[in-house]
Amino acid sequence: MKELLHILPALLALCLCVSCKDTKAKSKRIVPVGILADGDLAFRRGTGLLSHVVTSASKDGVYSHVGILKQIDNEWFVIHAVPDEPDFEGDTDRVKTDPLSRFFAEDRAVRGAIARIMDDSIAASRAAHTAWEIARKGTLFDHDYNLADTSQMYCTELVEFAYRKADICLSEGRRTQINVPAMGGTYLMPDDIAANKRLKILYSFP
C-alpha cells in the first residue's frame, strides 16, 4: 500500500497529461458566425483550476471568463484579459485578441455562450473598439483584481470598462463576495455581467 501511495501523484499527473492531449485532439466547435456582431459577449467556463475556483465561489457558478467579440479582416476574434495562455515562450499575461475558435477550443472551454446587449448596436460597436485599443496597447493582466486601477485589467474589468465608455453598465452594480484561501474579497465576476436582463443568448453549448 505504501508503494501505491508513493506513485499515485505520478499516475495522476500522467492521467491529466494524457487527458489534455486527448482533449486538444478533438474537433473544433462550429459557431454560427453569420449571426455575430461587434460587441457581442463571449462567455466560457474553463477547464483549469482557476476556472473551477471562480465558478465554485460565484453565486450562480455558470461562467468563469468573458470577452468581447470584434470582426477584424473578415474574421471573428475575442478580446479578453487572460492569465496563463501564452502565445509564445516568454509571453506575458495580458489583454489578448484571440480567434473565436481558439477562445472556445475544447481544451479551454467546457461550456460557453455568446450574448448580445439588446437595442444598442452602436454602443456595442464602440465597446468593441475600446477593447481592441486596450489590447493593442499591450495592457497587462491585473493579478490584483483591482477595479479601481485600469492600467491593468482582468476579464470582467475589461468588458465592464469598455461598455462603460459606451455609457452602458453591464454589471448594473452587481459584485460577488468571495471567501476562499488566496482569493478573499469583493470581485466583479462573469456571472455578475451575465445576469444583465438586456443580454440575449445567441448561441450556447453544450
Side-chain angles (χ1 to χ4, degrees):
M1 179 62 72
K2 289 183 178 179
E3 289 77 5
L4 179 59
L5 291 175
H6 180 72
I7 65 171
L8 272 177
L11 289 173
L12 178 58
L14 178 61
C15 290
L16 289 173
C17 182
V18 171
S19 175
C20 287
K21 289 181 179 178
D22 288 346
T23 302
K24 290 179 182 179
K26 293 179 180 178
S27 60
K28 297 178 181 178
R29 294 186 171 98
I30 305 300
V31 180
V33 295
I35 66 173
L36 304 180
D38 280 5
D40 288 348
L41 301 182
F43 293 91
R44 78 182 184 197
R45 181 171 184 167
T47 60
L49 177 60
L50 181 58
S51 295
H52 179 72
V53 170
V54 170
T55 53
S56 296
S58 181
K59 179 181 178 181
D60 295 322
V62 179
Y63 303 114
S64 61
H65 191 51
V66 63
I68 299 181
L69 281 163
K70 181 171 177 57
Q71 190 175 42
I72 304 170
D73 296 331
N74 296 318
E75 292 187 27
W76 285 102
F77 291 83
V78 180
I79 304 164
H80 61 131
V82 61
D84 302 323
E85 291 186 10
D87 288 337
F88 50 85
E89 186 176 352
D91 193 9
T92 56
D93 294 340
R94 56 190 168 86
V95 178
K96 302 175 59 177
T97 304
D98 277 334
L100 178 58
S101 59
R102 185 177 183 185
F103 183 86
F104 279 150
E106 293 191 10
D107 62 317
R108 296 188 176 194
V110 297
R111 183 173 188 174
I114 294 175
R116 177 174 300 163
I117 194 79
M118 299 305 295
D119 304 321
D120 209 334
S121 59
I122 294 176
S125 181
R126 287 171 55 196
H129 182 76
T130 296
W132 190 37
E133 289 297 316
I134 292 170
R136 292 173 67 187
K137 290 177 182 178
T139 303
L140 297 178
F141 183 84
D142 182 6
H143 287 279
D144 293 327
Y145 298 93
N146 181 5
L147 287 171
D149 179 9
T150 56
S151 63
Q152 299 181 6
M153 293 187 171
Y154 63 101
C155 70
T156 47
E157 182 179 8
L158 168 67
V159 170
E160 180 87 336
F161 179 85
Y163 264 90
R164 275 187 176 275
K165 284 289 186 179
D167 299 320
I168 292 177
C169 179
L170 287 176
S171 72
E172 300 169 317
R174 284 179 292 273
R175 297 293 184 270
T176 298
Q177 184 67 36
I178 297 178
N179 296 299
V180 297
M183 202 177 174
T186 302
Y187 299 89
L188 174 57
M189 305 291 274
D191 288 335
D192 293 326
I193 290 176
N196 190 313
K197 295 189 182 303
R198 289 182 63 191
L199 286 176
K200 179 182 178 180
I201 299 296
L202 306 176
Y203 165 79
S204 64
F205 67 88

